Amino acid sequence: MELQQREKKLMVAVGVLFAVVALYYLYGMVFGGGAMGNPEALRTSINKLENEISRAKNAQRKLNALNKRSLPTRQADALERYQAWLRGLVEQSGFKDARISVKQKQPIKNKDGDVGVNYAFSVTGVGSLEKVIRFLFSFYSSGNLQKVRTITLEPKQGSKELDISIDVEALALTTGDNPSLLTKEKGDQLKLPSLDIYQAGIVKRDFFSVYVPPKPNPPPEPKKDPPKPPSFDAAKYVILTAVIETDGQSVAWIRSKPTDKTIKVRAGEDFEIGPIKGKCLRVGVRDIDIEIDGEKKTIAYGESLGGK
């Protein structure tokens, strides 16, 4: 009803403003000043008048929409028909042990008089979460000037059903369009088109089961480096392949198989082949004595210098 009072004030203001502008315009015509002498002031006044008219029209549209949704203007009809509508909604939703009671019937007034009546109802019963969703979907599908004030759901021990308590408020405006009948307007508060979508999106969440936190993800296994390929011991393939006497001196022939390289070493000479660095101490008939990294070895014909 605030819209109705605002509309009245706006229309009065529009009338006063229009009269002021008309007088101002007339004064300018008679005395050669005022609005006729100041076109900018006249333009400002006209713009202000147009804004006030636009606001009044918007207020009227809002009031008309509320009047269409209002409960019947006759209080007896409003109370009886809305209670019957709620009862049908409860039965359709499948509540058990349902009760509907009037909690409050409060007149709404302002300084200009009665605006309407605010009716408060309590709906109680027993049912599943699916039935509660069905009730709410039907409630908000209706265009009645109404709202759910509070809703309380308590799980029943050892059951999937709930104790249901819903507080509802509805308004009957003194300017309402319907003296004795509920509105046929459709509600516009639902965002999704069908009950099934709401059921699927809400029921599967299982609000009333004991919360079990999800198991934490197992810690990642430490990253293992791939096994290294066996190292290649080139020293194993450095072989004493021959002992030959040349110019009265024995010479040892040492061959590296990986590189296919052969060196010739006499007693007392240092040598390097593949990964091995050493010194030849003696060259015998079929063996040699060498020293590698301070370790002395005797290598027979055909043996590896990397051996024991």
Side-chain angles (χ1 to χ4, degrees):
M1 274 317 294
E2 292 181 0
L3 290 176
Q4 184 186 34
Q5 299 307 318
R6 187 183 302 137
E7 177 203 357
K8 290 180 179 179
K9 294 177 181 178
L10 289 175
M11 295 305 295
V12 171
V14 168
V16 171
L17 183 60
F18 183 80
V20 170
V21 172
L23 290 173
Y24 189 57
Y25 180 80
L26 180 62
Y27 177 85
M29 291 181 64
V30 174
F31 296 100
M36 291 299 291
N38 188 351
E40 185 62 32
L42 178 59
R43 189 178 301 110
T44 300
S45 298
I46 292 174
N47 289 341
K48 184 175 180 180
L49 178 61
E50 290 175 343
N51 289 337
E52 293 292 340
I53 293 173
S54 176
R55 289 176 58 192
K57 289 181 178 179
N58 288 336
Q60 185 62 53
R61 280 194 292 268
K62 292 179 180 179
L63 181 59
N64 290 342
L66 293 176
N67 285 336
K68 288 181 180 180
R69 298 172 54 200
S70 170
L71 267 60
T73 53
R74 289 201 290 264
Q75 293 190 22
D77 289 332
L79 195 60
E80 178 183 350
R81 293 187 183 279
Y82 191 73
Q83 271 189 292
W85 180 81
L86 277 178
R87 190 174 300 108
L89 204 61
V90 165
E91 292 174 356
Q92 175 190 349
S93 302
F95 289 5
K96 295 186 297 186
D97 304 327
R99 294 185 59 188
I100 299 171
S101 57
V102 181
K103 294 180 63 177
Q104 178 179 282
K105 186 176 70 172
Q106 181 179 3
I108 306 173
K109 299 177 180 291
N110 61 19
K111 63 180 181 180
D112 296 317
D114 291 336
V115 174
V117 179
N118 180 46
Y119 297 96
F121 300 87
S122 173
V123 178
T124 60
V126 176
S128 63
L129 184 58
E130 291 91 340
K131 294 177 181 179
V132 175
I133 298 169
R134 184 184 301 275
F135 174 90
L136 294 174
F137 184 85
S138 299
F139 183 91
Y140 287 111
S141 295
S142 165
N144 290 323
L145 193 54
Q146 61 184 1
K147 67 179 179 181
V148 171
R149 172 66 71 179
T150 63
I151 180 167
T152 304
L153 307 174
E154 294 185 4
K156 294 181 71 69
Q157 188 71 26
S159 171
K160 291 186 177 181
E161 293 191 318
L162 309 169
D163 284 324
I164 303 165
S165 177
I166 304 174
D167 290 333
V168 173
E169 289 185 359
L171 293 178
L173 302 178
T174 56
T175 56
D177 290 353
N178 303 299
S180 60
L181 300 176
L182 295 179
T183 183
K184 295 182 180 180
E185 295 288 312
K186 300 296 182 182
D188 58 2
Q189 299 185 62
L190 294 172
K191 301 299 181 183
L192 301 176
S194 74
L195 172 62
D196 291 341
I197 298 177
Y198 285 99
Q199 295 281 21
I202 297 175
V203 175
K204 69 180 182 181
R205 298 183 186 181
D206 197 10
F207 291 104
F208 301 102
S209 62
V210 177
Y211 175 71
V212 178
K215 294 182 179 180
N217 294 327
E221 294 184 0
K223 188 175 180 180
K224 297 180 180 180
D225 294 330
K228 294 181 179 180
S231 59
F232 179 71
D233 187 3
K236 291 172 58 177
Y237 301 96
V238 178
I239 309 297
L240 177 61
T241 57
V243 176
I244 298 175
E245 187 174 337
T246 303
D247 298 331
Q249 289 186 335
S250 295
V251 179
W253 289 32
I254 302 173
R255 177 173 177 260
S256 172
K257 289 185 177 181
T259 60
D260 197 24
K261 178 182 178 181
T262 299
I263 62 172
K264 301 172 183 179
V265 182
R266 294 176 173 82
E269 293 181 345
D270 295 326
F271 66 89
E272 180 177 353
I273 181 169
I276 297 177
K277 292 182 180 180
K279 185 174 183 179
C280 181
L281 303 177
R282 179 188 66 85
V283 178
V285 177
R286 293 186 60 84
D287 60 10
I288 60 175
D289 292 338
I290 60 175
E291 182 178 349
I292 300 175
D293 296 331
E295 180 183 359
K296 295 179 179 180
K297 299 180 179 181
T298 298
I299 306 298
Y301 171 79
E303 287 183 347
S304 167
L305 275 63
K308 59 181 181 177

Short mmCIF file of all heavy atoms in Angstrom, two decimals, residues 168-217:
data_model
loop_
_atom_site.label_atom_id
_atom_site.label_comp_id
_atom_site.label_asym_id
_atom_site.label_seq_id
_atom_site.Cartn_x
_atom_site.Cartn_y
_atom_site.Cartn_z
N VAL A 168 4.05 -19.33 7.23
CA VAL A 168 3.69 -18.68 5.96
C VAL A 168 2.98 -17.37 6.26
O VAL A 168 2.20 -17.28 7.22
CB VAL A 168 2.77 -19.60 5.13
CG1 VAL A 168 2.26 -18.88 3.89
CG2 VAL A 168 3.51 -20.87 4.74
N GLU A 169 3.24 -16.36 5.44
CA GLU A 169 2.52 -15.09 5.53
C GLU A 169 1.90 -14.77 4.17
O GLU A 169 2.49 -15.06 3.13
CB GLU A 169 3.45 -13.94 5.95
CG GLU A 169 3.89 -14.03 7.40
CD GLU A 169 4.70 -12.81 7.83
OE1 GLU A 169 4.93 -11.92 6.97
OE2 GLU A 169 5.10 -12.75 9.00
N ALA A 170 0.70 -14.15 4.21
CA ALA A 170 0.02 -13.74 2.98
C ALA A 170 -0.68 -12.41 3.24
O ALA A 170 -1.12 -12.13 4.36
CB ALA A 170 -0.98 -14.81 2.55
N LEU A 171 -0.78 -11.58 2.18
CA LEU A 171 -1.35 -10.24 2.32
C LEU A 171 -2.64 -10.11 1.52
O LEU A 171 -2.75 -10.59 0.39
CB LEU A 171 -0.36 -9.18 1.82
CG LEU A 171 0.93 -8.99 2.62
CD1 LEU A 171 1.80 -7.93 1.95
CD2 LEU A 171 0.62 -8.59 4.05
N ALA A 172 -3.59 -9.43 2.15
CA ALA A 172 -4.81 -9.01 1.47
C ALA A 172 -4.83 -7.49 1.47
O ALA A 172 -4.89 -6.86 2.54
CB ALA A 172 -6.05 -9.56 2.16
N LEU A 173 -4.72 -6.87 0.30
CA LEU A 173 -4.71 -5.41 0.18
C LEU A 173 -6.14 -4.90 0.03
O LEU A 173 -6.98 -5.53 -0.62
CB LEU A 173 -3.88 -4.98 -1.03
CG LEU A 173 -2.42 -5.45 -1.05
CD1 LEU A 173 -1.74 -4.99 -2.34
CD2 LEU A 173 -1.67 -4.93 0.16
N THR A 174 -6.41 -3.74 0.63
CA THR A 174 -7.75 -3.16 0.51
C THR A 174 -8.07 -2.78 -0.93
O THR A 174 -9.25 -2.68 -1.30
CB THR A 174 -7.86 -1.91 1.40
OG1 THR A 174 -6.83 -0.99 1.04
CG2 THR A 174 -7.73 -2.28 2.86
N THR A 175 -7.04 -2.60 -1.76
CA THR A 175 -7.25 -2.24 -3.17
C THR A 175 -7.17 -3.46 -4.08
O THR A 175 -7.08 -3.32 -5.31
CB THR A 175 -6.19 -1.22 -3.61
OG1 THR A 175 -4.89 -1.77 -3.35
CG2 THR A 175 -6.35 0.09 -2.88
N GLY A 176 -7.15 -4.68 -3.51
CA GLY A 176 -7.00 -5.88 -4.29
C GLY A 176 -8.09 -6.04 -5.34
O GLY A 176 -9.22 -5.56 -5.18
N ASP A 177 -7.77 -6.75 -6.41
CA ASP A 177 -8.71 -6.93 -7.53
C ASP A 177 -9.81 -7.94 -7.22
O ASP A 177 -10.87 -7.92 -7.86
CB ASP A 177 -7.96 -7.41 -8.78
CG ASP A 177 -7.07 -6.33 -9.37
OD1 ASP A 177 -7.15 -5.18 -8.90
OD2 ASP A 177 -6.30 -6.64 -10.30
N ASN A 178 -9.53 -8.87 -6.28
CA ASN A 178 -10.45 -9.99 -6.06
C ASN A 178 -11.16 -9.84 -4.72
O ASN A 178 -10.53 -9.97 -3.67
CB ASN A 178 -9.69 -11.31 -6.08
CG ASN A 178 -8.92 -11.50 -7.38
OD1 ASN A 178 -9.51 -11.54 -8.44
ND2 ASN A 178 -7.60 -11.59 -7.27
N PRO A 179 -12.44 -9.57 -4.71
CA PRO A 179 -13.14 -9.43 -3.43
C PRO A 179 -13.33 -10.74 -2.69
O PRO A 179 -13.36 -10.77 -1.46
CB PRO A 179 -14.49 -8.81 -3.83
CG PRO A 179 -14.68 -9.19 -5.27
CD PRO A 179 -13.30 -9.26 -5.86
N SER A 180 -13.44 -11.87 -3.43
CA SER A 180 -13.78 -13.13 -2.75
C SER A 180 -12.99 -14.34 -3.24
O SER A 180 -13.13 -15.42 -2.65
CB SER A 180 -15.28 -13.42 -2.91
OG SER A 180 -15.62 -13.54 -4.29
N LEU A 181 -12.19 -14.19 -4.29
CA LEU A 181 -11.49 -15.34 -4.86
C LEU A 181 -9.98 -15.12 -4.81
O LEU A 181 -9.50 -13.99 -4.83
CB LEU A 181 -11.93 -15.56 -6.32
CG LEU A 181 -13.41 -15.85 -6.55
CD1 LEU A 181 -13.69 -15.94 -8.05
CD2 LEU A 181 -13.82 -17.13 -5.84
N LEU A 182 -9.25 -16.25 -4.76
CA LEU A 182 -7.79 -16.19 -4.85
C LEU A 182 -7.38 -15.88 -6.29
O LEU A 182 -8.12 -16.15 -7.24
CB LEU A 182 -7.17 -17.51 -4.39
CG LEU A 182 -7.34 -17.89 -2.93
CD1 LEU A 182 -6.68 -19.24 -2.66
CD2 LEU A 182 -6.76 -16.83 -2.01
N THR A 183 -6.21 -15.35 -6.44
CA THR A 183 -5.71 -14.97 -7.76
C THR A 183 -5.47 -16.21 -8.64
O THR A 183 -5.20 -17.31 -8.13
CB THR A 183 -4.40 -14.18 -7.64
OG1 THR A 183 -3.98 -13.78 -8.95
CG2 THR A 183 -3.30 -15.02 -7.02
N LYS A 184 -5.54 -16.01 -9.93
CA LYS A 184 -5.16 -17.05 -10.89
C LYS A 184 -3.79 -16.77 -11.51
O LYS A 184 -3.36 -17.49 -12.42
CB LYS A 184 -6.23 -17.15 -11.99
CG LYS A 184 -7.58 -17.62 -11.47
CD LYS A 184 -8.59 -17.74 -12.62
CE LYS A 184 -9.94 -18.22 -12.10
NZ LYS A 184 -10.94 -18.35 -13.20
N GLU A 185 -3.13 -15.72 -11.01
CA GLU A 185 -1.80 -15.39 -11.52
C GLU A 185 -0.81 -16.51 -11.18
O GLU A 185 -0.95 -17.21 -10.16
CB GLU A 185 -1.29 -14.08 -10.90
CG GLU A 185 -2.10 -12.85 -11.27
CD GLU A 185 -1.86 -12.45 -12.72
OE1 GLU A 185 -0.70 -12.38 -13.14
OE2 GLU A 185 -2.87 -12.21 -13.42
N LYS A 186 0.19 -16.69 -12.04
CA LYS A 186 1.25 -17.67 -11.80
C LYS A 186 2.42 -17.01 -11.08
O LYS A 186 2.69 -15.83 -11.29
CB LYS A 186 1.73 -18.28 -13.13
CG LYS A 186 0.65 -19.00 -13.91
CD LYS A 186 0.12 -20.20 -13.16
CE LYS A 186 -0.92 -20.95 -13.98
NZ LYS A 186 -1.49 -22.11 -13.23
N GLY A 187 3.10 -17.79 -10.25
CA GLY A 187 4.28 -17.27 -9.57
C GLY A 187 5.45 -17.11 -10.53
O GLY A 187 5.54 -17.78 -11.56
N ASP A 188 6.37 -16.21 -10.18
CA ASP A 188 7.53 -15.95 -11.05
C ASP A 188 8.85 -16.04 -10.30
O ASP A 188 9.86 -15.49 -10.72
CB ASP A 188 7.41 -14.56 -11.69
CG ASP A 188 7.29 -13.45 -10.65
OD1 ASP A 188 7.34 -13.76 -9.44
OD2 ASP A 188 7.16 -12.28 -11.05
N GLN A 189 8.84 -16.75 -9.14
CA GLN A 189 10.05 -16.81 -8.32
C GLN A 189 10.90 -18.06 -8.57
O GLN A 189 12.03 -18.14 -8.09
CB GLN A 189 9.69 -16.75 -6.83
CG GLN A 189 8.97 -15.47 -6.44
CD GLN A 189 8.73 -15.38 -4.96
OE1 GLN A 189 9.65 -15.37 -4.15
NE2 GLN A 189 7.46 -15.35 -4.57
N LEU A 190 10.35 -19.05 -9.27
CA LEU A 190 11.11 -20.27 -9.52
C LEU A 190 12.06 -20.07 -10.69
O LEU A 190 11.68 -19.55 -11.74
CB LEU A 190 10.16 -21.43 -9.82
CG LEU A 190 9.26 -21.88 -8.66
CD1 LEU A 190 8.24 -22.90 -9.14
CD2 LEU A 190 10.09 -22.45 -7.53
N LYS A 191 13.32 -20.49 -10.51
CA LYS A 191 14.33 -20.33 -11.55
C LYS A 191 14.39 -21.53 -12.48
O LYS A 191 14.81 -21.41 -13.63
CB LYS A 191 15.70 -20.12 -10.90
CG LYS A 191 15.78 -18.91 -9.98
CD LYS A 191 15.49 -17.63 -10.73
CE LYS A 191 15.61 -16.42 -9.80
NZ LYS A 191 15.26 -15.15 -10.50
N LEU A 192 13.99 -22.71 -11.99
CA LEU A 192 14.06 -23.93 -12.79
C LEU A 192 12.66 -24.36 -13.20
O LEU A 192 11.70 -24.13 -12.46
CB LEU A 192 14.76 -25.05 -12.00
CG LEU A 192 16.19 -24.73 -11.54
CD1 LEU A 192 16.76 -25.86 -10.69
CD2 LEU A 192 17.10 -24.47 -12.73
N PRO A 193 12.51 -24.99 -14.36
CA PRO A 193 11.17 -25.21 -14.93
C PRO A 193 10.38 -26.36 -14.34
O PRO A 193 9.17 -26.40 -14.49
CB PRO A 193 11.48 -25.46 -16.41
CG PRO A 193 12.86 -26.04 -16.43
CD PRO A 193 13.59 -25.36 -15.31
N SER A 194 11.03 -27.34 -13.69
CA SER A 194 10.26 -28.53 -13.29
C SER A 194 10.63 -28.98 -11.88
O SER A 194 11.75 -28.74 -11.39
CB SER A 194 10.50 -29.68 -14.27
OG SER A 194 11.78 -30.24 -14.09
N LEU A 195 9.67 -29.66 -11.25
CA LEU A 195 9.87 -30.22 -9.91
C LEU A 195 10.99 -31.25 -9.92
O LEU A 195 11.80 -31.33 -8.98
CB LEU A 195 8.57 -30.83 -9.41
CG LEU A 195 8.65 -31.63 -8.10
CD1 LEU A 195 9.08 -30.74 -6.95
CD2 LEU A 195 7.29 -32.28 -7.81
N ASP A 196 11.06 -32.07 -10.97
CA ASP A 196 12.06 -33.14 -11.02
C ASP A 196 13.49 -32.59 -10.92
O ASP A 196 14.36 -33.23 -10.31
CB ASP A 196 11.92 -33.93 -12.32
CG ASP A 196 10.63 -34.75 -12.35
OD1 ASP A 196 10.07 -35.00 -11.27
OD2 ASP A 196 10.19 -35.13 -13.45
N ILE A 197 13.73 -31.45 -11.51
CA ILE A 197 15.08 -30.87 -11.45
C ILE A 197 15.44 -30.50 -10.01
O ILE A 197 16.55 -30.76 -9.54
CB ILE A 197 15.18 -29.65 -12.38
CG1 ILE A 197 14.93 -30.05 -13.83
CG2 ILE A 197 16.55 -28.99 -12.24
CD1 ILE A 197 14.93 -28.89 -14.80
N TYR A 198 14.47 -29.91 -9.29
CA TYR A 198 14.73 -29.57 -7.89
C TYR A 198 14.92 -30.83 -7.05
O TYR A 198 15.81 -30.88 -6.18
CB TYR A 198 13.57 -28.74 -7.33
CG TYR A 198 13.56 -27.30 -7.79
CD1 TYR A 198 12.74 -26.89 -8.84
CD2 TYR A 198 14.37 -26.35 -7.20
CE1 TYR A 198 12.72 -25.57 -9.27
CE2 TYR A 198 14.37 -25.03 -7.62
CZ TYR A 198 13.54 -24.64 -8.65
OH TYR A 198 13.54 -23.33 -9.07
N GLN A 199 14.08 -31.84 -7.30
CA GLN A 199 14.21 -33.08 -6.53
C GLN A 199 15.60 -33.69 -6.74
O GLN A 199 16.27 -34.08 -5.77
CB GLN A 199 13.13 -34.09 -6.98
CG GLN A 199 11.71 -33.67 -6.69
CD GLN A 199 11.30 -33.90 -5.24
OE1 GLN A 199 12.14 -34.00 -4.35
NE2 GLN A 199 10.00 -33.97 -4.99
N ALA A 200 16.03 -33.77 -7.99
CA ALA A 200 17.32 -34.39 -8.28
C ALA A 200 18.47 -33.60 -7.69
O ALA A 200 19.45 -34.16 -7.21
CB ALA A 200 17.51 -34.52 -9.80
N GLY A 201 18.36 -32.28 -7.69
CA GLY A 201 19.46 -31.46 -7.22
C GLY A 201 19.56 -31.35 -5.71
O GLY A 201 20.63 -31.05 -5.18
N ILE A 202 18.44 -31.59 -4.98
CA ILE A 202 18.44 -31.39 -3.52
C ILE A 202 18.47 -32.72 -2.77
O ILE A 202 19.27 -32.90 -1.85
CB ILE A 202 17.21 -30.56 -3.10
CG1 ILE A 202 17.29 -29.16 -3.73
CG2 ILE A 202 17.13 -30.45 -1.58
CD1 ILE A 202 16.06 -28.31 -3.49
N VAL A 203 17.61 -33.65 -3.17
CA VAL A 203 17.48 -34.89 -2.40
C VAL A 203 18.78 -35.68 -2.39
O VAL A 203 19.16 -36.27 -1.37
CB VAL A 203 16.32 -35.75 -2.96
CG1 VAL A 203 16.27 -37.10 -2.26
CG2 VAL A 203 15.00 -35.01 -2.80
N LYS A 204 19.48 -35.72 -3.51
CA LYS A 204 20.70 -36.53 -3.58
C LYS A 204 21.79 -36.04 -2.64
O LYS A 204 22.75 -36.75 -2.37
CB LYS A 204 21.21 -36.58 -5.01
CG LYS A 204 21.76 -35.26 -5.53
CD LYS A 204 22.26 -35.40 -6.96
CE LYS A 204 22.85 -34.11 -7.49
NZ LYS A 204 23.32 -34.26 -8.89
N ARG A 205 21.64 -34.82 -2.13
CA ARG A 205 22.66 -34.30 -1.20
C ARG A 205 22.57 -34.94 0.18
O ARG A 205 23.50 -34.87 0.96
CB ARG A 205 22.52 -32.78 -1.07
CG ARG A 205 22.74 -32.05 -2.40
CD ARG A 205 22.67 -30.56 -2.21
NE ARG A 205 22.74 -29.86 -3.47
CZ ARG A 205 22.73 -28.54 -3.60
NH1 ARG A 205 22.65 -27.78 -2.51
NH2 ARG A 205 22.79 -27.98 -4.79
N ASP A 206 21.42 -35.52 0.50
CA ASP A 206 21.26 -36.26 1.76
C ASP A 206 21.69 -35.39 2.95
O ASP A 206 22.61 -35.69 3.69
CB ASP A 206 22.08 -37.55 1.72
CG ASP A 206 21.64 -38.54 2.78
OD1 ASP A 206 20.59 -38.29 3.40
OD2 ASP A 206 22.35 -39.54 3.01
N PHE A 207 20.95 -34.27 3.16
CA PHE A 207 21.32 -33.28 4.17
C PHE A 207 21.34 -33.83 5.59
O PHE A 207 22.08 -33.35 6.45
CB PHE A 207 20.34 -32.10 4.13
CG PHE A 207 20.45 -31.27 2.90
CD1 PHE A 207 19.51 -31.38 1.88
CD2 PHE A 207 21.49 -30.38 2.74
CE1 PHE A 207 19.61 -30.60 0.75
CE2 PHE A 207 21.60 -29.60 1.60
CZ PHE A 207 20.65 -29.71 0.61
N PHE A 208 20.52 -34.84 5.87
CA PHE A 208 20.31 -35.23 7.25
C PHE A 208 21.06 -36.49 7.67
O PHE A 208 20.86 -37.00 8.76
CB PHE A 208 18.80 -35.41 7.50
CG PHE A 208 18.03 -34.16 7.24
CD1 PHE A 208 17.32 -34.01 6.05
CD2 PHE A 208 18.04 -33.12 8.15
CE1 PHE A 208 16.61 -32.86 5.80
CE2 PHE A 208 17.34 -31.96 7.89
CZ PHE A 208 16.62 -31.81 6.72
N SER A 209 21.91 -37.00 6.82
CA SER A 209 22.74 -38.14 7.23
C SER A 209 23.96 -37.61 7.98
O SER A 209 24.32 -36.44 7.89
CB SER A 209 23.19 -38.93 5.99
OG SER A 209 23.98 -38.12 5.15
N VAL A 210 24.56 -38.51 8.77
CA VAL A 210 25.77 -38.13 9.50
C VAL A 210 26.88 -37.83 8.51
O VAL A 210 27.15 -38.61 7.60
CB VAL A 210 26.20 -39.27 10.46
CG1 VAL A 210 27.49 -38.89 11.17
CG2 VAL A 210 25.08 -39.54 11.47
N TYR A 211 27.47 -36.70 8.71
CA TYR A 211 28.51 -36.28 7.77
C TYR A 211 29.76 -37.14 7.95
O TYR A 211 30.26 -37.30 9.06
CB TYR A 211 28.87 -34.82 7.98
CG TYR A 211 30.03 -34.36 7.13
CD1 TYR A 211 29.88 -34.20 5.75
CD2 TYR A 211 31.27 -34.10 7.70
CE1 TYR A 211 30.93 -33.79 4.96
CE2 TYR A 211 32.34 -33.69 6.91
CZ TYR A 211 32.16 -33.53 5.55
OH TYR A 211 33.22 -33.11 4.77
N VAL A 212 30.20 -37.70 6.87
CA VAL A 212 31.44 -38.46 6.86
C VAL A 212 32.40 -37.75 5.90
O VAL A 212 32.13 -37.71 4.70
CB VAL A 212 31.22 -39.92 6.41
CG1 VAL A 212 32.55 -40.66 6.37
CG2 VAL A 212 30.24 -40.62 7.34
N PRO A 213 33.44 -37.20 6.43
CA PRO A 213 34.35 -36.48 5.52
C PRO A 213 34.99 -37.43 4.53
O PRO A 213 35.20 -38.62 4.84
CB PRO A 213 35.40 -35.89 6.48
CG PRO A 213 35.33 -36.73 7.70
CD PRO A 213 33.92 -37.20 7.82
N PRO A 214 35.23 -36.96 3.35
CA PRO A 214 35.85 -37.85 2.36
C PRO A 214 37.25 -38.26 2.80
O PRO A 214 37.93 -37.54 3.53
CB PRO A 214 35.92 -36.96 1.11
CG PRO A 214 35.87 -35.56 1.62
CD PRO A 214 35.03 -35.60 2.86
N LYS A 215 37.61 -39.46 2.41
CA LYS A 215 38.94 -39.94 2.76
C LYS A 215 39.99 -39.09 2.06
O LYS A 215 39.83 -38.74 0.88
CB LYS A 215 39.10 -41.40 2.33
CG LYS A 215 38.20 -42.36 3.10
CD LYS A 215 38.45 -43.80 2.64
CE LYS A 215 37.57 -44.78 3.41
NZ LYS A 215 37.80 -46.18 2.97
N PRO A 216 41.02 -38.74 2.80
CA PRO A 216 42.06 -37.93 2.15
C PRO A 216 42.78 -38.75 1.09
O PRO A 216 42.87 -39.99 1.18
CB PRO A 216 43.01 -37.58 3.31
CG PRO A 216 42.78 -38.65 4.33
CD PRO A 216 41.33 -39.04 4.21
N ASN A 217 43.22 -38.09 0.11
CA ASN A 217 43.98 -38.77 -0.93
C ASN A 217 45.29 -39.30 -0.35
O ASN A 217 45.93 -38.64 0.48
CB ASN A 217 44.29 -37.80 -2.08
CG ASN A 217 43.03 -37.38 -2.81
OD1 ASN A 217 42.09 -38.14 -2.91
ND2 ASN A 217 43.01 -36.14 -3.29
#
